[in-house]
Structures are given as C-alpha cells and as structure tokens.
Amino acid sequence: MNGPLYMIQLPLGPAAFVRFLAAQGLNTNSDEDLGYGTHAWLRATFGETAPKPFRLFLSERGHAPAKLLGYTRAGRESLLEYAHSFAEPAALAVCDLEEQLAVAALPGADDWRPGRQLGFEVLVSPVARRSRDGRERDLFLHRADTAGPAGGLDREQVYVDWLAERLEGAAHLDRANLEEFQLVRHLRQGERSAGGSRARARLVRPRALLRGQLTVTDGSAFAELLARGVGRHRAFGYGMLLLRPPL
C-alpha cells in the first residue's frame, strides 16, 4: 500500500470540456462513452496523480456539468500543486479546481473488517481475449461461441460470475444484478508502428452496470481492490467500485 486512498469529485463544464476535446482531436463519436477524452483530460490536468479508476456521470441535460468521481493516492494539495504547475490553460478551464475539487479520504484496511457487508455498484467492461489474435471481445459472446447453441448462457449470469472471480480473495459476492447494458464505441491507442507512432484504434466493447451486495473477506486485499479497480479499461472510466450501505 502507498498511503491513504482518496475519492475526488469534480463537475466538468460541458462547453469547456468539448473545447478541450476539440483541441486534442478527441471530439468524436468514436469515443461514445467519453472514456478516452476524460482520461486525456485527467492526465493533462493531474499527470501521474490522475485518479484511476474513475467514473463519469453524464448529465441528461447537455448544458449541465458532468460529474466525475475517482480514486487516487494523491491528496487535494498534491493534485492542485500539479495542476497549477503543469496543466495547460485549456485543461484548467474545464472546471474551477480551487473551488470545485472535493476530496475525501476513504477508510483504511483496518476499517474493512472481514464479514462487513456492503452494497455496491460498478460500471465494467467484461471482455475476454481471443486466442488466435489476442484481441478483446465481449465476454458473453466469447463464452457463447465456446458453449455453442445448446449452451443456454445468460448474459447477466456470465457477467455476475466474472465479477465474483475478480472480487475473490478480497470479498465474497453475495448477489448482483445487471442493471444496464450496451455495446459502445471506444477510442484507444492502437499498436505502435515501425516508426514509433501510435494510431488511435476504434473498438466496440460491452458497458455493463452491476449492482449488488458483497461481504469483505480480507481488509487489506479489499482496500487494494478499491484502489486498483475491477476488470479492464480502468483508466478509461470503468471498474470504480462505488460503495453504499447494504440492503
């Protein structure tokens, strides 16, 4: 462990955020969930201290700010010091960090005692790598191809089992439901060319919101799980485990 874990909260002004994305060449419908664009803004603003994992909550009204939550090992002063020293003006214009950056320390490992029950929700991208080329694919489709027509697989159960595996060693998954699902277009860095440059890859990946209840089995491992996040694409808006009182 590398010190306490903090949660940050920030509103992102839509007009200034779009201007930042446009300046970076990222104002594109290929980044349907804005995961790559938000990742780029966080890196431009906070560098290595940028929260990961994070979650972006988009407003249903286009003129209202989006809400960003994230986990980081850096405290408020460290985040502000980096931003004011190194961030570009277009990145700083997205929100008023001095006034709007809210930071709170999360409980430590000793507080996550074994047997403690917690409600949760997590936005994840459950994928598997194809053996022939190593490319990612929706885990449900991957399992369905393996099981064949008689497999009778259920998407929700496939994702719930996947989540239980990733919590193993830190928490037991008591129950979970698939609340939302869609396939979305993702923008990512592609393979590096012979000349060293990297083109942007346009991918389609699953976006699944799971809610449920878990029981902590190892406090230290659970604290690390929160800091690390769940599954793939944690630097792009997935895998942030948000906790709530148990039902």
Side-chain angles (χ1 to χ4, degrees):
M1 261 185 224
N2 301 309
L5 183 66
Y6 299 93
M7 176 188 281
I8 76 157
Q9 179 175 330
L10 270 173
L12 305 186
F17 188 43
V18 168
R19 286 195 294 270
F20 170 82
L21 296 178
Q24 303 294 317
L26 297 175
N27 188 19
T28 168
N29 58 11
S30 296
D31 188 25
E32 190 174 3
D33 60 359
L34 294 180
Y36 192 91
T38 307
H39 165 80
W41 178 76
L42 285 169
R43 293 286 295 185
T45 306
F46 299 118
E48 292 297 326
T49 66
K52 184 185 82 170
F54 69 85
R55 174 97 173 264
L56 182 67
F57 294 83
L58 296 174
S59 170
E60 294 182 0
R61 299 172 296 167
H63 62 278
K67 180 177 75 173
L68 179 95
L69 298 178
Y71 292 143
T72 177
R73 295 290 187 188
R76 189 174 191 275
E77 293 307 313
S78 296
L79 293 168
L80 290 174
E81 180 181 1
Y82 185 96
H84 291 319
S85 298
F86 305 112
E88 297 179 0
L92 291 175
V94 171
C95 60
D96 185 338
L97 291 177
E98 288 285 353
E99 293 293 329
Q100 297 176 312
L101 174 61
V103 180
L106 268 69
D110 292 342
D111 297 289
W112 305 123
R113 62 185 184 280
R116 183 175 180 180
Q117 292 184 316
L118 297 163
F120 74 88
E121 73 171 61
V122 61
L123 187 69
V124 292
S125 184
V127 293
R129 290 193 180 276
R130 299 190 300 194
S131 58
R132 65 177 182 272
D133 57 15
R135 293 185 178 180
E136 291 181 349
R137 191 184 186 203
D138 179 358
L139 178 65
F140 171 73
L141 297 179
H142 177 80
R143 295 272 176 87
D145 282 351
T146 303
L153 293 181
D154 175 74
R155 183 183 294 275
E156 180 176 60
Q157 193 59 53
V158 168
Y159 289 172
V160 168
D161 290 344
W162 172 90
L163 178 61
E165 292 172 2
R166 273 135 196 87
L167 297 181
E168 190 173 353
H172 176 266
L173 182 61
D174 302 329
R175 60 178 182 273
N177 296 315
L178 177 61
E179 299 291 337
E180 298 175 13
F181 165 77
Q182 63 182 129
L183 294 173
V184 299
R185 294 185 295 273
H186 289 180
L187 191 63
R188 298 289 185 267
Q189 290 280 17
E191 297 295 327
R192 196 176 296 277
S193 69
S197 62
R198 297 178 70 174
R200 288 172 182 151
R202 290 162 175 80
L203 315 169
V204 176
R205 294 292 182 268
R207 183 178 190 268
L209 180 65
L210 294 163
R211 292 194 182 109
Q213 182 171 296
L214 57 81
T215 300
V216 176
T217 56
D218 184 301
S220 295
F222 186 73
E224 283 301 305
L225 176 69
L226 287 178
R228 183 177 67 251
V230 178
R232 296 272 296 158
H233 304 286
R234 299 187 302 274
F236 302 97
Y238 293 87
M240 184 181 186
L241 198 61
L242 294 172
L243 303 177
R244 57 183 61 178
L247 298 177

